[in-house]
Amino acid sequence: MATNQERKDQQRRKILAAATKLFLRDGYKPTHVKGVADEANVSQVTLYKYFDSKYDLAHQVVLDLIVGGYAQYRTVVDDPKKSFREVVQFMMKTKVKVSAGMSQDFYNFTVADMQGKFGNGEAKATYDAGKQSFWDAVIQRGRDAGMINPDISNAALTMYLDMYVDYFSSPDHDIPEYRQLIDQLMHLFFYGFVGLAPDTVEGKTSKERKHDGK
């Protein structure tokens, strides 16, 4: 039999799941607390026992998206069966998929929350808390695959990646256009602005092919 705390946790997750569905589909402004309560099949009184306000509810959705995103990406980054190119491609395409599946209104809310415009810096702090270890793992995969110049420091690479993330975290940019340009962005990520690409076969370096042949 579930304990009282387990029932409370289950109730909270159910409300948060309903809020995530409605905010992502309809947006922050069009979604009302009553609608979330109805979707979760609970009363508004019950909902307010777990979340103080509509903003608190949406803010928790943003935090879940950040934490869940790191966890999803890290599973792929740590998968030895995937090449470094496949890892980066997955990250880029998933970013597009998440953004494309999110209403523009809630996308704007998420960006504003990340920027602390509601007087709460928790979303940015949560993102920053997981950022360094995550990017270090991604960069190490690239170094192990021989696809990162050893003369380029982790600090420089992290700065480059931050600029990439910051650019596409702005509500001013056209996500559908980004989706159309993803192949060109992949090329820029791996080869820079020079037209010559390294010796690769199906996105793998000679070092990766040698490892696969062991």
Side-chain angles (χ1 to χ4, degrees), residues 6 11-12 55 58 84 90 96 142 157 160-161 174-175 190 213:
E6 287 172 337
Q11 188 84 294
R12 186 181 187 279
Y55 164 73
F84 179 59
F90 171 84
V96 173
L157 286 166
Y160 172 79
L161 292 166
D174 189 341
I175 294 302
F190 285 105

Side-chain angles (χ1 to χ4, degrees), residues 126-141:
T126 300
Y127 173 79
D128 288 342
K131 179 179 70 173
Q132 196 58 56
S133 62
F134 173 73
W135 284 129
D136 283 348
V138 173
I139 291 168
Q140 190 57 52
R141 279 297 309 270

